[in-house]
Amino acid sequence: MLSDELKNKIQSAYRDMLDAKSHKPRVGQRQMIGAIARTLGNIKQGSEGERLEEKHVAVIEAGTGTGKTLSYCLAVIPIAKARGLKLVISTATVALQEQILHKDLPDILSNTEVNFKYTLAKGRGRYLCLNNLEAFLGTEEQAMDDMFAGLFEQHLQSDDVNTVLYQEMDEALSKGKWDGDKDNWEGIVREQDWRRLTTDHQQCTNRNCANYSACPFFKARSEIEVADVIVANHDLVLADLSLGGGAILTAPKETIYVFDEGHHLPDKAIGHFRHEVRLQQSISWLRQLEKNLVNLKQELTDEVSLTGQLLIKIPQQIQTIVNFIQYAQQGLSPYINGLGLDQDNNQHRFEFGVVPDELKQLAYSLSTSYQKLFNSIESIQDECKKAKQNEGMGVTPEMAETWQPILGAILGRIEQSVGLWQLYSTTDDQQYPPNARWLILSGQGMEQDIELGASPILAANTLRQQLWDKCFGAVVTSATLTALNQFHRFNMRSGVPRESEYLRVLSPFDFQNNGVLVIPDMKSEPNQVELHTAEIVDYLNKKVDQDKASLVLFSSRRQMEEVAQSLQESLKDILLIQGEQSKRIILESHKTRIDEGKGSLLFGLASFAEGVDLPGDYLTSVFIAKIPFAVPDDPVDATLAEWIQKRGGNPFMEITIPDASLRLVQATGRLLRSEKDSGTIHILDKRLKTKRYGNQLVQSLPPYRLG
């Protein structure tokens, strides 16, 4: 049970925050704090602090304006500290991460008696690798470029290397003006320039690195050890879990997780287990790898050492893999011809994820052959690690310093191939959803290649095994966790325990008085593309207020561009289109126009339908071109629909409509961002009136006043 002392501490902290901000208590905040405190406070612990209860997850949909960040922080931080656990707050966007770090947590420290230390956790990719920086500034880099040309993107010709930038970074580091964190670099860094300076868990040599004590990543990592609250993102948490947990962050059993913007978690998880491999590209890479490893063999001080013996075996291992890939190419060629694939129709999805037996057998041979190659190179990498402690045979410490991160990058590439071929070689367990598997014909003529892809269709089982079963406790929250007013969609995709605490906290906004929903009588349906596009143009010409702020959301880039071209000139003069500049610059330009008393018209796609915050006069009208149904050609979604149908379900009602409902709520949510905001939403899709599901979608929206 939650002790009276903890109850009082949480209640006192909430009162202190309200007093400091001169706010009145919010019903939704109190409900949310209570639900989280009950769930986490009632978890029983064993003699070693382990969790004994199953009801350890709270799933809370908190409408916009609830103040959910403050709610979960005030509820979870005292409980985590009292139980000796870490709190990991995970978000999906940088904007929310920065708000928590720079506003919410400092506010709690300043205005309450809750004491805690907090830090930001990022993956290695956000930090400079000092070894890589030294390599690009060193005299030996040209030789290394020549040696590894074609094998890795980061090893490029010297005239492609931004030496001036790297010298500026080196100077800033040496003077203590920069900490090696990309986000703290004041200038602009191109992605290709930054990518060459970073590393990953395979390439990083950890304590064996000569720069370990000065490493920006490990300096930041040390702060995690002493912090009570760690702010991270979903990708980093999932990466840590895929490594077993505790590799980057704290161990799940010692952690309470809060997943803010939690509706993104299932899709992020699927992305971590999606694999794609091109066959001819793989052969070219393997041939290049074989040539490069010859260079390592020539540098050995003792060819009969373990490293030397392994290097003798590797060419044959590579040849075996190449042979199997060529067999796969030969076998797939008539199969692809039979499918009639061409440049326009270039994708084939295997029904229920079932691939031909011959390809499945080849996949098994490829997965085992790739695994043998992986093991050999990993053993060489281990010898390099030993060499740094003067224990390796045939490898000098200097060679090890150079080769270990290179071998790590090679292992990372091989790991992807192992993952793909394992998914192709296994038979899916009938108790669980199948994996999606597909092939794509890419390129033309001599450049033509076959790409094979595979992915889980649901992350539920993986998340259950790696996260929910292992963690001490968790809170999942978002403004959009339900679809059609139910949690069923999120449960199916996330695998949260059925015993979890579920709560819907309504937004405090006055939707009835501040928001008007208009569904005009359109003549054409969206599948009548030309007619529908013409109607949108006509409607916008009549309804957009040229002196105010409007946002038009499209599901199709092509339709967006066609509408933009056909608008009347006065609207074109105030038009800003997604893609013409960065999202940040477009939004800043939009705000500047409104600040100057001018009108502004934004055109955007899906990424503008979520996470865009334009309060007050920055947005008074939202136009939605059509119901945001998912693109039907995604092989993962198609396999999921197929699986549901096989089980007697209705994919349209179980997937398509709930997904569209969620997107529609997010899109309409761009309008009211504070309790004082007001405006109008226009949805230009007659199906909301004429189709049976249309009423369901309208009923799942906040209670706007119909206009």
Side-chain angles (χ1 to χ4, degrees):
M1 292 290 291
L2 189 68
S3 69
D4 289 338
E5 182 184 356
L6 267 177
K7 265 186 201 174
N8 291 334
K9 187 174 284 190
I10 293 169
Q11 290 170 352
S12 175
Y14 184 50
R15 284 195 299 269
D16 289 345
M17 284 299 298
L18 293 176
D19 291 344
K21 300 291 183 180
S22 299
H23 289 168
K24 293 180 180 179
R26 294 182 183 179
V27 174
Q29 277 187 327
R30 296 173 69 174
Q31 289 176 331
M32 190 170 175
I33 290 170
I36 294 170
R38 277 195 311 275
T39 302
L40 301 179
N42 291 335
I43 297 172
K44 293 178 182 177
Q45 288 178 278
S47 58
E48 296 183 7
E50 74 276 15
R51 170 173 56 81
L52 299 177
E53 294 288 331
E54 286 304 313
K55 191 172 181 179
H56 61 293
V57 180
V59 181
I60 302 172
E61 180 178 82
T64 306
T66 300
K68 63 180 185 298
T69 307
L70 180 65
S71 300
Y72 63 66
C73 284
L74 291 179
V76 183
I77 293 173
I79 293 173
K81 285 206 71 177
R83 291 180 177 264
L85 301 164
K86 297 279 190 180
L87 167 59
V88 171
I89 300 175
S90 178
T91 76
T93 61
V94 173
L96 179 56
Q97 201 173 60
E98 290 180 345
Q99 177 196 311
I100 293 168
L101 273 170
H102 304 306
K103 181 178 181 295
D104 297 320
L105 294 178
D107 271 358
I108 293 171
L109 276 175
S110 299
N111 299 310
T112 74
E113 294 183 6
V114 180
N115 294 313
F116 57 93
K117 295 178 181 178
Y118 65 93
T119 190
L120 174 65
K122 303 178 187 178
R124 284 180 174 85
R126 305 304 295 179
Y127 295 97
L128 173 93
C129 170
L130 294 172
N131 276 2
N132 287 349
L133 179 64
E134 288 177 0
F136 278 110
L137 293 176
T139 56
E140 298 178 4
E141 185 55 34
Q142 182 60 56
M144 292 299 293
D145 284 337
D146 293 340
M147 188 184 296
F148 291 96
L151 192 56
F152 306 116
E153 283 184 282
Q154 63 264 43
H155 291 284
L156 301 175
Q157 297 302 315
S158 57
D159 58 356
D160 291 327
V161 175
N162 195 340
T163 307
V164 174
L165 172 66
Y166 298 161
Q167 287 171 340
E168 289 176 359
M169 289 180 166
D170 186 50
E171 185 177 349
L173 284 166
S174 63
K175 291 182 178 179
K177 294 181 177 179
W178 183 48
D179 59 0
D181 182 336
K182 181 186 179 186
D183 299 317
N184 294 336
W185 180 254
E186 291 185 356
I188 296 172
V189 184
R190 296 183 308 169
E191 186 58 34
Q192 60 265 41
D193 291 330
W194 180 255
R195 191 166 57 242
R196 296 171 208 160
L197 296 180
T198 61
T199 189
D200 57 29
H201 78 280
Q202 286 284 11
Q203 298 176 66
C204 181
T205 57
N206 296 296
R207 293 183 183 276
N208 290 320
C209 177
N211 287 309
Y212 176 77
S213 61
C215 174
F217 171 72
F218 282 104
K219 278 187 175 181
R221 180 76 173 80
S222 66
E223 293 181 16
I224 292 174
E225 304 296 332
V226 298
D228 302 300
V229 180
I230 303 161
V231 181
N233 60 43
H234 298 344
D235 285 318
L236 185 63
V237 172
L238 290 165
D240 184 58
L241 294 172
S242 69
L243 294 171
I248 305 168
L249 303 169
T250 50
K253 66 180 181 179
E254 300 166 0
T255 306
I256 295 175
Y257 296 91
V258 172
F259 293 99
D260 204 339
E261 301 172 315
H263 61 283
H264 285 291
L265 189 63
D267 288 338
K268 291 278 188 183
I270 286 178
H272 273 260
F273 299 98
R274 181 177 179 132
H275 301 284
E276 288 159 313
V277 166
R278 290 190 177 187
L279 300 187
Q280 191 57 44
Q281 188 182 75
S282 295
I283 291 174
S284 301
W285 184 82
L286 287 163
R287 293 296 190 205
Q288 187 67 46
L289 173 62
E290 185 177 356
K291 291 177 184 177
N292 296 136
L293 290 178
V294 169
N295 293 316
L296 174 56
K297 190 169 184 292
Q298 290 173 348
E299 292 184 36
L300 293 179
T301 59
D302 181 359
E303 290 195 12
V304 298
S305 64
L306 175 59
T307 302
Q309 294 302 307
L310 289 166
L311 286 169
I312 290 171
K313 294 179 182 178
I314 285 177
Q316 183 55 52
Q317 291 176 338
I318 288 176
Q319 187 57 52
T320 300
I321 295 172
V322 169
N323 289 343
F324 283 131
I325 294 176
Q326 289 174 336
Y327 293 150
Q329 287 174 314
Q330 292 165 10
L332 283 169
S333 183
Y335 183 81
I336 290 170
N337 290 336
L339 295 171
L341 297 186
D342 54 34
Q343 191 176 356
D344 296 322
N345 176 33
N346 67 339
Q347 180 176 287
H348 170 69
R349 181 182 61 82
F350 297 102
E351 288 189 8
F352 299 105
V354 178
V355 300
D357 286 339
E358 186 180 356
L359 179 57
K360 187 176 177 181
Q361 291 166 11
L362 279 170
Y364 176 77
S365 298
L366 276 161
S367 68
T368 54
S369 298
Y370 264 115
Q371 189 62 56
K372 287 178 182 176
L373 179 61
F374 182 93
N375 293 342
S376 294
I377 293 176
E378 189 175 44
S379 295
I380 295 173
Q381 190 186 46
D382 288 341
E383 287 300 299
C384 288
K385 292 175 184 177
K386 292 177 185 177
K388 292 186 179 183
Q389 297 157 352
N390 295 315
E391 296 174 5
M393 298 295 291
V395 181
T396 66
E398 292 74 23
M399 286 171 57
E401 187 78 32
T402 300
W403 279 93
Q404 194 178 339
I406 293 166
L407 294 171
I410 293 168
L411 288 172
R413 175 74 177 258
I414 296 173
E415 208 169 28
Q416 282 294 313
S417 296
V418 171
L420 182 282
W421 294 115
Q422 282 180 343
L423 280 174
Y424 265 76
S425 65
T426 54
T427 300
D428 295 329
D429 189 329
Q430 295 300 303
Q431 295 181 17
Y432 299 104
N435 288 291
R437 298 176 179 89
W438 64 92
L439 65 80
I440 297 173
L441 204 60
S442 64
Q444 298 181 64
M446 297 296 290
E447 300 296 320
Q448 194 172 79
D449 205 346
I450 301 168
E451 180 180 293
L452 295 178
S455 170
I457 59 172
L458 291 175
N461 192 45
T462 300
L463 286 173
R464 189 179 300 116
Q465 291 176 351
Q466 295 193 7
L467 175 58
W468 312 126
D469 289 352
K470 289 184 178 181
C471 72
F472 184 89
V475 176
V476 185
T477 186
S478 169
T480 48
L481 282 179
T482 62
L484 300 175
N485 301 311
Q486 296 181 334
F487 284 101
H488 174 73
R489 177 190 182 278
F490 182 74
N491 287 355
M492 178 181 72
R493 293 175 182 272
S494 69
V496 291
R498 293 181 181 274
E499 304 81 12
S500 301
E501 173 94 10
Y502 293 94
L503 175 68
R504 290 189 74 191
V505 177
L506 300 179
S507 169
F509 293 173
D510 186 352
F511 293 101
Q512 273 285 326
N513 290 316
N514 293 348
V516 178
L517 175 63
V518 177
I519 306 170
D521 293 320
M522 305 290 284
K523 296 178 182 178
S524 54
E525 289 203 359
N527 60 359
Q528 299 170 289
V529 181
E530 290 186 9
L531 292 174
H532 185 242
T533 298
E535 272 198 275
I536 292 173
V537 171
D538 185 54
Y539 191 86
L540 294 178
N541 284 339
K542 293 176 181 175
K543 297 293 183 179
V544 172
D545 189 330
Q546 298 176 28
D547 297 320
K548 293 187 177 180
S550 300
L551 169 65
V552 187
L553 295 168
F554 294 88
S555 299
S556 158
R557 179 176 292 278
R558 182 175 178 180
Q559 186 176 57
M560 179 176 75
E561 292 171 347
E562 288 178 354
V563 171
Q565 290 172 1
S566 304
L567 285 176
Q568 62 191 31
E569 290 302 319
S570 58
L571 290 183
K572 286 183 181 180
D573 290 341
I574 62 169
L575 180 61
L576 294 166
I577 305 176
Q578 180 181 356
E580 292 187 346
Q581 291 176 300
S582 73
K583 184 176 179 180
R584 179 181 60 82
I585 291 174
I586 285 176
L587 292 176
E588 285 177 358
S589 300
H590 171 81
K591 289 179 179 179
T592 299
R593 287 182 180 178
I594 303 304
D595 289 339
E596 293 173 350
K598 302 174 183 176
S600 182
L601 175 60
L602 282 172
F603 272 20
L605 298 166
S607 63
F608 271 63
E610 183 182 2
V612 170
D613 190 25
L614 297 170
D617 291 338
Y618 290 133
L619 190 59
T620 55
S621 295
V622 174
F623 299 83
I624 300 170
K626 62 181 179 180
I627 299 169
F629 288 122
V631 179
D633 61 355
D634 181 78
V636 177
D637 290 341
T639 305
L640 176 59
E642 195 174 52
W643 175 70
I644 287 174
Q645 190 166 23
K646 184 181 180 181
R647 296 169 69 241
N650 182 334
F652 185 72
M653 296 307 297
E654 290 184 44
I655 303 173
T656 308
I657 294 299
D659 285 3
S661 168
L662 193 71
R663 293 190 186 98
L664 206 54
V665 170
Q666 289 166 346
T668 60
R670 295 316 93 212
L671 181 67
L672 304 184
R673 306 303 299 168
S674 75
E675 293 183 49
K676 296 179 181 179
D677 289 356
S678 62
T680 307
I681 297 163
H682 310 252
I683 307 178
L684 312 183
D685 193 328
K686 68 181 294 184
R687 292 173 296 183
L688 290 174
K689 289 185 172 180
T690 61
K691 300 294 184 182
R692 185 176 177 182
Y693 59 77
N695 185 56
Q696 285 182 280
L697 292 173
V698 173
Q699 292 302 314
S700 70
L701 295 173
Y704 301 109
R705 185 173 78 257
L706 292 177

